[in-house]
Amino acid sequence: GYVILVGRGANFITAHLPNVFHIRLTAPLPKRIERVQKLNSLTSEEATKFIRDEDRSRNRYSKEHFHKSVDEALAYDLVLNTDRISFSDAVELIKVGARRYFDRIRDQH
């Protein structure tokens, strides 16, 4: 069936599977701080600490278990900056990218 995996290392674990489309959503730190503040009712300082701690933890986990950085652009098929692209546009880009990717895989078999 169809599955969406979200989590630390999912893109590295599935890197060699031919039927997987890897996506990364990113944004500049100020935008991330703003979003975390709103979502979690935090102060700017609390949100900044939360993000920095999470980023360090993600990077440490990826390096320890996969010897890779989460920031490696080549580990993804599509990387979107959600500060420059709206969420609705990101959804459309993901849909189009995934459809084309899976159509190409299907046509190769």
Side-chain angles (χ1 to χ4, degrees):
Y2 300 98
V3 175
I4 296 175
L5 298 174
V6 179
R8 297 179 184 183
N11 60 315
F12 300 124
I13 293 167
T14 61
H16 300 294
L17 297 177
N19 58 339
V20 179
F21 188 63
H22 299 99
I23 303 157
R24 179 163 191 207
L25 302 177
T26 189
L29 184 59
K31 187 57 130 185
R32 294 172 65 206
I33 291 168
E34 178 185 318
R35 288 179 182 155
V36 168
Q37 275 185 268
K38 288 179 186 175
L39 283 171
N40 299 305
S41 301
L42 299 174
T43 66
S44 176
E45 295 77 21
E46 291 169 331
T48 301
K49 182 180 179 335
F50 174 83
I51 290 168
R52 291 193 192 283
D53 290 348
E54 283 292 305
D55 286 351
R56 270 193 298 274
S57 179
R58 281 189 183 105
N59 275 314
R60 185 175 46 250
Y61 182 87
S62 292
K63 288 190 189 224
E64 285 177 13
H65 296 279
F66 308 107
H67 309 291
K68 306 238 183 218
S69 169
V70 294
D71 295 325
E72 286 186 36
L74 294 178
Y76 306 92
D77 300 302
L78 180 64
V79 178
L80 299 173
N81 179 347
T82 58
D83 187 35
R84 298 179 55 117
I85 297 170
S86 70
F87 284 122
S88 60
D89 287 345
V91 168
E92 289 302 313
L93 288 168
I94 292 166
K95 283 178 9 186
V96 168
R99 279 190 188 128
R100 288 184 181 180
Y101 179 85
F102 291 117
D103 285 347
R104 189 179 77 237
I105 289 172
R106 188 186 62 241
D107 292 343
Q108 291 174 351
H109 289 82

